[in-house]
Amino acid sequence: MCTLSAAGEVELVNRQVLEYFGKTMEELKNWATSNVVHPDDLPCVVESWKHSIETGQPYDLELASGRADGVYRWFQSRALPTRDTRAVSPAGTCC
């Protein structure tokens, strides 16, 4: 489980996410420039995330994520943007 800011920066992740990716919280903050998302999937992931933030619609996408050992596995990534007085932020899960 992870949460991102409206700007796309990782704000919170659970221990399992850190272990899966083999990265620190600081390294995950720049998820779009690391191997967290397969390069072939990255443009669609970024576009879908932006659309979710702009419209408030749920984010639901299948994508390949890279494990700590470099192997990519398929995940269904879902997020529900939540609005507070400052911005819209997605809270997401992968299963």
Side-chain angles (χ1 to χ4, degrees), residues 10-28:
V10 175
E11 294 183 327
L12 176 71
V13 296
N14 63 12
R15 180 182 49 81
Q16 290 88 349
V17 170
L18 295 173
E19 290 174 358
Y20 179 84
F21 292 117
K23 297 191 180 297
T24 65
M25 179 68 172
E26 192 62 35
E27 291 170 321
L28 283 177

Side-chain angles (χ1 to χ4, degrees), residues 12-92:
L12 176 71
V13 296
N14 63 12
R15 180 182 49 81
Q16 290 88 349
V17 170
L18 295 173
E19 290 174 358
Y20 179 84
F21 292 117
K23 297 191 180 297
T24 65
M25 179 68 172
E26 192 62 35
E27 291 170 321
L28 283 177
K29 286 186 178 185
N30 296 316
W31 62 269
T33 59
S34 67
N35 68 339
V36 171
V37 176
H38 191 280
D40 292 346
D41 295 337
L42 189 57
C44 184
V45 169
V46 170
E47 218 27 64
S48 295
W49 179 82
K50 285 180 183 177
H51 177 76
S52 180
I53 293 298
E54 291 169 359
T55 64
Q57 294 179 346
Y59 169 94
D60 189 355
L61 189 67
E62 188 175 286
L63 58 102
S65 286
R67 287 191 320 212
D69 63 3
V71 174
Y72 284 89
R73 297 288 183 202
W74 288 103
F75 284 86
Q76 187 69 34
S77 180
R78 296 182 173 135
L80 181 62
T82 56
R83 223 177 254 287
D84 66 17
T85 57
R86 296 170 291 153
V88 178
S89 300

